[in-house]
Amino acid sequence: MTGGVLAHHLFAESFSPDDTEGETMQFAIWSRRLSVVRRSRYARNRKKGQRLTNWFALSMSIVVMLTGLAACGTSASSSNGPVNLTYALWDPTEQVGYQQSINVFMQQHPNIHVTIEETPWAQYWQKLNTELAAGDAPDVFWDNVAYFPQFAQEGALMDLTPLIQQNKLNLSIYYPNLLGQFQYQGKYYGLPKDWDTISLFYNKAIFQKMGLPAPTNLTWNPTDGGTLLKLAQQLTVDKNGLHPNQAGFNSNAIQQYGFLSYNDNQEMYWNFIAENGGQFMNKPFGQFDFNQPKAVQALQFLVNLTTKWHVSPPASETNNISNVHVQLFGRGQVAMILAGSWNTSNIVQQSNFPFGITELPSGPAGRITVMNGLSDAIYARTPHPQEAWELEQWLASPQSQQIVSGGGYVWPGIQSIAPQYGAYWQKKGVDVNPFLQEASGQTTSYPITPGYNQASTEINDIFNDMFLGHIPVQQATNQAVQQGNAAIQSSTPGS
């Protein structure tokens, strides 16, 4: 077969109506057949200057033409049918709401088809990391602050800053602290999807039975415990009906606890550390410093609730048990717990009694909640960047967030839409507005640092012993800070 005939044959095959794989497959065919051009999935340039025979020069001219078509992106893809995007998430409940949103998106964008890929939280991050390493990650996926720093530093996320500027997106509609959580070196790598805060849940049946008013406006301090400790003592009862502050109380035969203090960061001690004027990290991408006095005082208070004042179950019954607070509350063993807004539906399902939600107890530095959020991120090497950006914009738009929040799935990243989520739950007899009120007040952020997942494992192991009372709080925090910062150091590029 002559060079001209070969080129004509390959050209015709590349544009066969049966070929639905797009430009990437066309290049793969050329690479295999001609054995010269080695084009990876994400390569943007090819080496030039090789001396070629006349027939291969003709072939290369066709490759150049194909390259021009591939660069057209959306238009070239649309001519061969809709572009297929994958959207990855981990929550099957929220998936229902997002499918409703994406159905509307696909109606408005007939050239784009989106498949939702749901992977349980326990496997989500391992799977995503494997896909990133293989260069085959989802086009758009849920991102969490715990993993964001690693992804940003590794170049796995698309920088959205120029697209935001080009499309003149109004970022003022979002909660400012949510935007800041997904910034790295002044650039945006995600748009706010949702948020959560922490509030106090209480068992209305227990309160009514004991003749106690709703636990609103509680306070605490590390010296005498404040009104939170006093109320927890009233609610804690042993088998003889005695309370912890009464003579003869049997701490080994408690039938009902007033409060739950246990080893949990986001739903427990990060809030108390902030409310005592302390901090867990000195700054984003900084160092842990929770071994300083204010943080140590807050942690000591939480340990005392269990080991000294006996108003909370011992750590031997709570360490390393997933959602133990929801379980204990649902069984009526604990009258008050702190829980994140994402656990509202779990508590509804597991509680056969009326419950209420109120704002956190206020500490010496005021009422401060952890406010965390998720973002939708675009894979930096997606073969369909324009279409992925269209989906990203839609998910961050008022239209999409109204669909999802209005269905009671999540608090939206757009401030003005948040009341719709509250209205959904109000119709079901659950007042979730305390979460919204806290989001408008003082908040603290999830730690933002590379290596956090390794660090959190080290910290958790040490804090398990601390909550058991086996290690003094100051000693535990010194060890945890040292090991946590070592994890940061080992995960920092160039270290």
mmCIF file of all heavy atoms in Angstrom, residues 239-269:
data_model
loop_
_atom_site.group_PDB
_atom_site.id
_atom_site.type_symbol
_atom_site.label_atom_id
_atom_site.label_comp_id
_atom_site.label_asym_id
_atom_site.label_seq_id
_atom_site.Cartn_x
_atom_site.Cartn_y
_atom_site.Cartn_z
ATOM 1 N N LYS A 239 -28.811 4.330 89.508
ATOM 2 C CA LYS A 239 -29.907 3.376 89.668
ATOM 3 C C LYS A 239 -30.789 3.683 90.883
ATOM 4 O O LYS A 239 -31.933 3.216 90.970
ATOM 5 C CB LYS A 239 -29.360 1.967 89.784
ATOM 6 C CG LYS A 239 -28.515 1.717 91.027
ATOM 7 C CD LYS A 239 -28.044 0.288 91.081
ATOM 8 C CE LYS A 239 -27.246 0.006 92.365
ATOM 9 N NZ LYS A 239 -26.783 -1.398 92.432
ATOM 10 N N ASN A 240 -30.244 4.498 91.794
ATOM 11 C CA ASN A 240 -31.019 4.870 92.985
ATOM 12 C C ASN A 240 -31.672 6.244 92.854
ATOM 13 O O ASN A 240 -32.215 6.774 93.833
ATOM 14 C CB ASN A 240 -30.120 4.838 94.219
ATOM 15 C CG ASN A 240 -29.598 3.437 94.506
ATOM 16 O OD1 ASN A 240 -30.358 2.462 94.451
ATOM 17 N ND2 ASN A 240 -28.307 3.337 94.800
ATOM 18 N N GLY A 241 -31.561 6.845 91.694
ATOM 19 C CA GLY A 241 -32.180 8.148 91.475
ATOM 20 C C GLY A 241 -31.347 9.311 91.962
ATOM 21 O O GLY A 241 -31.854 10.429 92.063
ATOM 22 N N LEU A 242 -30.082 9.063 92.298
ATOM 23 C CA LEU A 242 -29.198 10.125 92.794
ATOM 24 C C LEU A 242 -28.429 10.771 91.651
ATOM 25 O O LEU A 242 -28.172 10.163 90.603
ATOM 26 C CB LEU A 242 -28.217 9.553 93.815
ATOM 27 C CG LEU A 242 -28.848 8.990 95.103
ATOM 28 C CD1 LEU A 242 -27.775 8.357 95.980
ATOM 29 C CD2 LEU A 242 -29.585 10.091 95.850
ATOM 30 N N HIS A 243 -28.023 12.018 91.894
ATOM 31 C CA HIS A 243 -27.279 12.788 90.907
ATOM 32 C C HIS A 243 -25.803 12.882 91.320
ATOM 33 O O HIS A 243 -25.457 12.705 92.498
ATOM 34 C CB HIS A 243 -27.879 14.184 90.774
ATOM 35 C CG HIS A 243 -29.342 14.164 90.416
ATOM 36 N ND1 HIS A 243 -29.808 13.920 89.153
ATOM 37 C CD2 HIS A 243 -30.454 14.350 91.202
ATOM 38 C CE1 HIS A 243 -31.120 13.958 89.143
ATOM 39 N NE2 HIS A 243 -31.543 14.211 90.380
ATOM 40 N N PRO A 244 -24.901 13.187 90.378
ATOM 41 C CA PRO A 244 -23.471 13.201 90.682
ATOM 42 C C PRO A 244 -23.060 14.156 91.801
ATOM 43 O O PRO A 244 -22.045 13.927 92.473
ATOM 44 C CB PRO A 244 -22.835 13.614 89.348
ATOM 45 C CG PRO A 244 -23.823 13.205 88.315
ATOM 46 C CD PRO A 244 -25.158 13.422 88.948
ATOM 47 N N ASN A 245 -23.820 15.225 92.009
ATOM 48 C CA ASN A 245 -23.468 16.185 93.058
ATOM 49 C C ASN A 245 -24.164 15.880 94.384
ATOM 50 O O ASN A 245 -24.214 16.724 95.275
ATOM 51 C CB ASN A 245 -23.803 17.610 92.604
ATOM 52 C CG ASN A 245 -25.242 17.767 92.152
ATOM 53 O OD1 ASN A 245 -25.947 16.775 91.937
ATOM 54 N ND2 ASN A 245 -25.681 19.012 92.006
ATOM 55 N N GLN A 246 -24.706 14.665 94.510
ATOM 56 C CA GLN A 246 -25.354 14.250 95.754
ATOM 57 C C GLN A 246 -24.554 13.129 96.413
ATOM 58 O O GLN A 246 -23.929 12.306 95.735
ATOM 59 C CB GLN A 246 -26.785 13.756 95.473
ATOM 60 C CG GLN A 246 -27.743 14.840 95.012
ATOM 61 C CD GLN A 246 -29.136 14.298 94.735
ATOM 62 O OE1 GLN A 246 -29.295 13.191 94.214
ATOM 63 N NE2 GLN A 246 -30.160 15.072 95.104
ATOM 64 N N ALA A 247 -24.607 13.129 97.741
ATOM 65 C CA ALA A 247 -23.896 12.091 98.492
ATOM 66 C C ALA A 247 -24.487 10.713 98.172
ATOM 67 O O ALA A 247 -25.706 10.568 98.050
ATOM 68 C CB ALA A 247 -23.999 12.368 99.991
ATOM 69 N N GLY A 248 -23.614 9.735 98.057
ATOM 70 C CA GLY A 248 -24.055 8.371 97.791
ATOM 71 C C GLY A 248 -24.232 8.037 96.318
ATOM 72 O O GLY A 248 -24.605 6.909 95.970
ATOM 73 N N PHE A 249 -23.979 8.990 95.447
ATOM 74 C CA PHE A 249 -24.106 8.746 94.007
ATOM 75 C C PHE A 249 -23.146 7.636 93.590
ATOM 76 O O PHE A 249 -21.965 7.620 93.951
ATOM 77 C CB PHE A 249 -23.800 10.015 93.228
ATOM 78 C CG PHE A 249 -23.768 9.823 91.728
ATOM 79 C CD1 PHE A 249 -24.948 9.742 91.009
ATOM 80 C CD2 PHE A 249 -22.562 9.728 91.054
ATOM 81 C CE1 PHE A 249 -24.926 9.568 89.625
ATOM 82 C CE2 PHE A 249 -22.527 9.554 89.680
ATOM 83 C CZ PHE A 249 -23.712 9.473 88.965
ATOM 84 N N ASN A 250 -23.629 6.680 92.792
ATOM 85 C CA ASN A 250 -22.831 5.535 92.358
ATOM 86 C C ASN A 250 -22.440 5.723 90.891
ATOM 87 O O ASN A 250 -23.245 5.514 89.982
ATOM 88 C CB ASN A 250 -23.624 4.240 92.529
ATOM 89 C CG ASN A 250 -22.782 3.012 92.243
ATOM 90 O OD1 ASN A 250 -21.671 3.098 91.733
ATOM 91 N ND2 ASN A 250 -23.316 1.843 92.577
ATOM 92 N N SER A 251 -21.198 6.101 90.671
ATOM 93 C CA SER A 251 -20.734 6.366 89.300
ATOM 94 C C SER A 251 -20.584 5.090 88.481
ATOM 95 O O SER A 251 -20.386 5.163 87.261
ATOM 96 C CB SER A 251 -19.394 7.113 89.338
ATOM 97 O OG SER A 251 -18.398 6.324 89.973
ATOM 98 N N ASN A 252 -20.676 3.940 89.135
ATOM 99 C CA ASN A 252 -20.585 2.667 88.415
ATOM 100 C C ASN A 252 -21.960 2.098 88.056
ATOM 101 O O ASN A 252 -22.042 0.990 87.505
ATOM 102 C CB ASN A 252 -19.817 1.643 89.249
ATOM 103 C CG ASN A 252 -18.366 2.045 89.456
ATOM 104 O OD1 ASN A 252 -17.706 2.489 88.519
ATOM 105 N ND2 ASN A 252 -17.881 1.914 90.695
ATOM 106 N N ALA A 253 -23.010 2.826 88.394
ATOM 107 C CA ALA A 253 -24.366 2.324 88.113
ATOM 108 C C ALA A 253 -25.250 3.453 87.609
ATOM 109 O O ALA A 253 -26.335 3.705 88.112
ATOM 110 C CB ALA A 253 -24.963 1.690 89.366
ATOM 111 N N ILE A 254 -24.772 4.142 86.565
ATOM 112 C CA ILE A 254 -25.508 5.275 86.008
ATOM 113 C C ILE A 254 -26.511 4.773 84.970
ATOM 114 O O ILE A 254 -26.158 4.031 84.051
ATOM 115 C CB ILE A 254 -24.546 6.304 85.382
ATOM 116 C CG1 ILE A 254 -23.575 6.838 86.451
ATOM 117 C CG2 ILE A 254 -25.315 7.455 84.735
ATOM 118 C CD1 ILE A 254 -22.520 7.781 85.908
ATOM 119 N N GLN A 255 -27.738 5.193 85.114
ATOM 120 C CA GLN A 255 -28.783 4.769 84.191
ATOM 121 C C GLN A 255 -29.051 5.791 83.089
ATOM 122 O O GLN A 255 -29.507 5.439 82.004
ATOM 123 C CB GLN A 255 -30.081 4.500 84.956
ATOM 124 C CG GLN A 255 -30.018 3.285 85.882
ATOM 125 C CD GLN A 255 -31.367 2.967 86.495
ATOM 126 O OE1 GLN A 255 -32.228 3.841 86.619
ATOM 127 N NE2 GLN A 255 -31.561 1.714 86.897
ATOM 128 N N GLN A 256 -28.762 7.049 83.372
ATOM 129 C CA GLN A 256 -29.000 8.106 82.380
ATOM 130 C C GLN A 256 -27.945 9.185 82.546
ATOM 131 O O GLN A 256 -27.687 9.644 83.658
ATOM 132 C CB GLN A 256 -30.393 8.710 82.590
ATOM 133 C CG GLN A 256 -30.713 9.912 81.705
ATOM 134 C CD GLN A 256 -32.076 10.470 82.014
ATOM 135 O OE1 GLN A 256 -33.105 9.850 81.724
ATOM 136 N NE2 GLN A 256 -32.110 11.663 82.630
ATOM 137 N N TYR A 257 -27.326 9.556 81.436
ATOM 138 C CA TYR A 257 -26.305 10.599 81.461
ATOM 139 C C TYR A 257 -26.885 11.913 80.940
ATOM 140 O O TYR A 257 -27.752 11.920 80.052
ATOM 141 C CB TYR A 257 -25.111 10.207 80.581
ATOM 142 C CG TYR A 257 -24.278 9.089 81.147
ATOM 143 C CD1 TYR A 257 -24.491 7.767 80.749
ATOM 144 C CD2 TYR A 257 -23.269 9.341 82.075
ATOM 145 C CE1 TYR A 257 -23.724 6.733 81.259
ATOM 146 C CE2 TYR A 257 -22.488 8.314 82.592
ATOM 147 C CZ TYR A 257 -22.716 7.014 82.182
ATOM 148 O OH TYR A 257 -21.956 5.998 82.696
ATOM 149 N N GLY A 258 -26.388 13.002 81.489
ATOM 150 C CA GLY A 258 -26.891 14.313 81.076
ATOM 151 C C GLY A 258 -26.298 14.826 79.785
ATOM 152 O O GLY A 258 -26.965 15.539 79.025
ATOM 153 N N PHE A 259 -25.039 14.474 79.509
ATOM 154 C CA PHE A 259 -24.324 15.047 78.365
ATOM 155 C C PHE A 259 -23.328 14.014 77.860
ATOM 156 O O PHE A 259 -22.957 13.086 78.589
ATOM 157 C CB PHE A 259 -23.608 16.333 78.793
ATOM 158 C CG PHE A 259 -22.934 17.092 77.675
ATOM 159 C CD1 PHE A 259 -23.699 17.784 76.747
ATOM 160 C CD2 PHE A 259 -21.555 17.131 77.569
ATOM 161 C CE1 PHE A 259 -23.090 18.498 75.717
ATOM 162 C CE2 PHE A 259 -20.931 17.838 76.550
ATOM 163 C CZ PHE A 259 -21.705 18.525 75.619
ATOM 164 N N LEU A 260 -22.896 14.190 76.615
ATOM 165 C CA LEU A 260 -21.879 13.292 76.058
ATOM 166 C C LEU A 260 -20.631 14.078 75.697
ATOM 167 O O LEU A 260 -20.657 14.953 74.831
ATOM 168 C CB LEU A 260 -22.404 12.571 74.810
ATOM 169 C CG LEU A 260 -21.390 11.621 74.151
ATOM 170 C CD1 LEU A 260 -20.986 10.509 75.110
ATOM 171 C CD2 LEU A 260 -21.944 11.028 72.862
ATOM 172 N N SER A 261 -19.540 13.752 76.387
ATOM 173 C CA SER A 261 -18.222 14.283 76.054
ATOM 174 C C SER A 261 -17.367 13.105 75.621
ATOM 175 O O SER A 261 -17.246 12.120 76.361
ATOM 176 C CB SER A 261 -17.598 14.973 77.277
ATOM 177 O OG SER A 261 -16.282 15.379 76.995
ATOM 178 N N TYR A 262 -16.787 13.200 74.448
ATOM 179 C CA TYR A 262 -16.025 12.056 73.935
ATOM 180 C C TYR A 262 -14.985 12.537 72.927
ATOM 181 O O TYR A 262 -14.939 13.713 72.562
ATOM 182 C CB TYR A 262 -16.961 11.024 73.310
ATOM 183 C CG TYR A 262 -17.649 11.485 72.034
ATOM 184 C CD1 TYR A 262 -17.393 10.864 70.824
ATOM 185 C CD2 TYR A 262 -18.565 12.546 72.039
ATOM 186 C CE1 TYR A 262 -18.018 11.273 69.653
ATOM 187 C CE2 TYR A 262 -19.189 12.957 70.887
ATOM 188 C CZ TYR A 262 -18.910 12.317 69.686
ATOM 189 O OH TYR A 262 -19.533 12.737 68.539
ATOM 190 N N ASN A 263 -14.165 11.620 72.473
ATOM 191 C CA ASN A 263 -13.067 11.959 71.580
ATOM 192 C C ASN A 263 -13.567 12.129 70.153
ATOM 193 O O ASN A 263 -13.596 11.174 69.371
ATOM 194 C CB ASN A 263 -11.986 10.871 71.643
ATOM 195 C CG ASN A 263 -10.800 11.185 70.726
ATOM 196 O OD1 ASN A 263 -10.635 12.319 70.278
ATOM 197 N ND2 ASN A 263 -9.977 10.183 70.475
ATOM 198 N N ASP A 264 -13.973 13.327 69.824
ATOM 199 C CA ASP A 264 -14.363 13.655 68.458
ATOM 200 C C ASP A 264 -13.941 15.093 68.192
ATOM 201 O O ASP A 264 -14.145 15.970 69.040
ATOM 202 C CB ASP A 264 -15.870 13.503 68.266
ATOM 203 C CG ASP A 264 -16.273 13.711 66.809
ATOM 204 O OD1 ASP A 264 -16.296 12.723 66.054
ATOM 205 O OD2 ASP A 264 -16.561 14.869 66.430
ATOM 206 N N ASN A 265 -13.369 15.341 67.030
ATOM 207 C CA ASN A 265 -12.836 16.674 66.763
ATOM 208 C C ASN A 265 -13.915 17.652 66.305
ATOM 209 O O ASN A 265 -14.236 18.609 66.992
ATOM 210 C CB ASN A 265 -11.686 16.616 65.751
ATOM 211 C CG ASN A 265 -11.983 15.741 64.538
ATOM 212 O OD1 ASN A 265 -13.096 15.694 64.031
ATOM 213 N ND2 ASN A 265 -10.961 15.034 64.060
ATOM 214 N N GLN A 266 -14.518 17.410 65.130
ATOM 215 C CA GLN A 266 -15.427 18.390 64.543
ATOM 216 C C GLN A 266 -16.688 18.602 65.360
ATOM 217 O O GLN A 266 -17.170 19.732 65.502
ATOM 218 C CB GLN A 266 -15.789 17.973 63.108
ATOM 219 C CG GLN A 266 -16.614 19.010 62.364
ATOM 220 C CD GLN A 266 -16.875 18.612 60.927
ATOM 221 O OE1 GLN A 266 -16.363 17.610 60.442
ATOM 222 N NE2 GLN A 266 -17.683 19.386 60.216
ATOM 223 N N GLU A 267 -17.256 17.534 65.891
ATOM 224 C CA GLU A 267 -18.506 17.669 66.638
ATOM 225 C C GLU A 267 -18.276 17.871 68.135
ATOM 226 O O GLU A 267 -19.257 17.963 68.884
ATOM 227 C CB GLU A 267 -19.388 16.443 66.404
ATOM 228 C CG GLU A 267 -19.926 16.351 64.984
ATOM 229 C CD GLU A 267 -20.808 15.149 64.745
ATOM 230 O OE1 GLU A 267 -20.264 14.033 64.609
ATOM 231 O OE2 GLU A 267 -22.042 15.307 64.700
ATOM 232 N N MET A 268 -17.017 17.954 68.560
ATOM 233 C CA MET A 268 -16.771 18.095 69.992
ATOM 234 C C MET A 268 -15.663 19.106 70.284
ATOM 235 O O MET A 268 -15.928 20.287 70.462
ATOM 236 C CB MET A 268 -16.449 16.718 70.591
ATOM 237 C CG MET A 268 -16.231 16.699 72.100
ATOM 238 S SD MET A 268 -17.590 17.361 73.102
ATOM 239 C CE MET A 268 -18.945 16.305 72.583
ATOM 240 N N TYR A 269 -14.408 18.674 70.326
ATOM 241 C CA TYR A 269 -13.414 19.519 70.997
ATOM 242 C C TYR A 269 -12.932 20.718 70.173
ATOM 243 O O TYR A 269 -12.451 21.705 70.754
ATOM 244 C CB TYR A 269 -12.229 18.695 71.510
ATOM 245 C CG TYR A 269 -11.445 17.886 70.505
ATOM 246 C CD1 TYR A 269 -10.543 18.474 69.634
ATOM 247 C CD2 TYR A 269 -11.551 16.491 70.493
ATOM 248 C CE1 TYR A 269 -9.790 17.717 68.767
ATOM 249 C CE2 TYR A 269 -10.800 15.720 69.635
ATOM 250 C CZ TYR A 269 -9.914 16.327 68.765
ATOM 251 O OH TYR A 269 -9.167 15.559 67.898
#
